[in-house]
Amino acid sequence: MKKAKVYTKTGDDGTTSLVGGERVQKSNARIHLYGDIDSLNSHVGLALSFKSAKQQHQAFDYLGELQSRLFDIGSNIACLAKERDKFQLPTISKSDITELESLIDQLEAQLPALKNFIMPGGCLMASQLHVCRTLARQIERNAVHFAADNVDEVPEVVLQFFNRLSDYFFVVARYANFQEGIAETIWQGKKSKS
C-alpha cells in the first residue's frame, strides 16, 4: 500500500474541503471556528504534558477524553448539518455536559470558596488550563456568532458544552494549584492617587 503524502496541494488556491467535499475559502467563518477548536485541543494536549504526580483526580484524567470530544465537535462543524447523518459523525450529548458539571462540583467541594477575582497563573498545569479557559470562551463567542448567521449548523448542546467547558477549565486550574500547595493570587485593582 502506497503511503499518502501529508501535503495535497489542493489548498494552494486558498480553499479547503469540508467533510462532504464542498470547497470553501479558508477565510470562511466555519473554518475559523473549527480551527479554533483544533487550537484548543492542542492546548489541552500541552496542559496534559504539565500534569505532575501531585495532580491526581479524574478531572485531570478527563482531559484526554476531552480531546476526543473536541474532535467530535470539530468534525461536525467541518460538515454541513444536512450531511452529518450521512457521514455518521460522532456527536456530543447532554450527558457530556452533565459529566463536566459533575467534575466541577466534585472539585469545588474541595476548594476554598472564592471571595475575590483571582489572577490566572500558578503552576504550569494551572497556567495552561487558564489559557484553555480563555480559548473555550473565545470559541463559545465565535460559535454563537456563527450559529446566528448559519441556522442549525451549531447544535445548542455544543454552545452549552463550551459554556460549561470554560467553567471546568477554571475549576481544574484552581485545583491544580491547590494540589501543588500554590496560593492563588488575588486581583487587587490599582489604587487611585488622592
Side-chain angles (χ1 to χ4, degrees):
M1 182 173 164
K2 186 177 179 182
K3 186 176 178 182
K5 293 188 177 190
V6 172
Y7 58 88
T8 63
K9 301 183 183 181
T10 57
D12 289 352
D13 64 352
T15 64
T16 190
S17 288
L18 299 180
V19 170
E22 179 181 338
R23 299 215 47 97
V24 296
Q25 290 292 316
K26 291 182 179 181
S27 58
N28 185 291
R30 180 187 302 272
I31 308 307
H32 280 282
L33 182 54
Y34 72 73
D36 288 345
I37 294 168
D38 186 39
S39 178
L40 173 59
N41 206 336
S42 295
H43 278 280
V44 171
L46 182 58
L48 274 168
S49 74
F50 292 141
K51 185 174 179 280
S52 78
K54 290 183 182 178
Q55 291 157 346
Q56 297 297 321
H57 192 280
Q58 67 189 61
F60 294 113
D61 300 334
Y62 175 76
L63 289 167
E65 183 181 331
L66 172 61
Q67 288 190 290
S68 291
R69 297 298 73 75
L70 291 172
F71 260 110
D72 294 345
I73 295 168
S75 67
N76 278 268
I77 300 299
C79 185
L80 297 175
K82 65 184 180 184
E83 296 189 347
R84 289 177 191 155
D85 287 340
K86 174 177 148 186
F87 291 101
Q88 300 179 334
L89 298 173
T91 59
I92 63 165
S93 66
K94 290 278 190 185
S95 66
D96 293 296
I97 295 169
T98 303
E99 183 174 15
L100 281 176
E101 291 172 343
S102 174
L103 292 171
I104 291 167
D105 292 344
Q106 289 173 41
L107 296 183
E108 282 197 314
Q110 299 178 58
L111 289 168
L114 266 185
K115 298 177 182 173
N116 304 89
F117 288 110
I118 59 168
M119 303 303 288
C123 66
L124 285 173
M125 169 68 99
S127 299
Q128 182 60 26
L129 288 168
H130 278 295
V131 171
C132 292
R133 171 185 59 81
T134 62
L135 289 172
R137 282 283 184 226
Q138 175 183 309
I139 291 168
E140 181 187 13
R141 291 190 300 270
N142 292 342
V144 167
H145 182 75
F146 182 76
D149 292 340
N150 300 275
V151 178
D152 298 329
E153 288 296 322
V154 182
E156 186 178 335
V157 70
V158 168
L159 299 177
Q160 295 168 354
F161 182 81
F162 278 107
N163 183 271
R164 220 62 89 252
L165 186 57
S166 57
D167 296 332
Y168 158 82
F169 285 132
F170 178 74
V171 174
V172 178
R174 289 191 67 212
Y175 196 72
N177 281 332
F178 177 74
Q179 287 196 317
E180 293 289 340
I182 297 173
E184 294 174 319
T185 303
I186 304 301
W187 170 60
Q188 296 180 357
K190 185 176 177 182
K191 307 284 189 246
S192 60
K193 296 179 181 178
S194 303

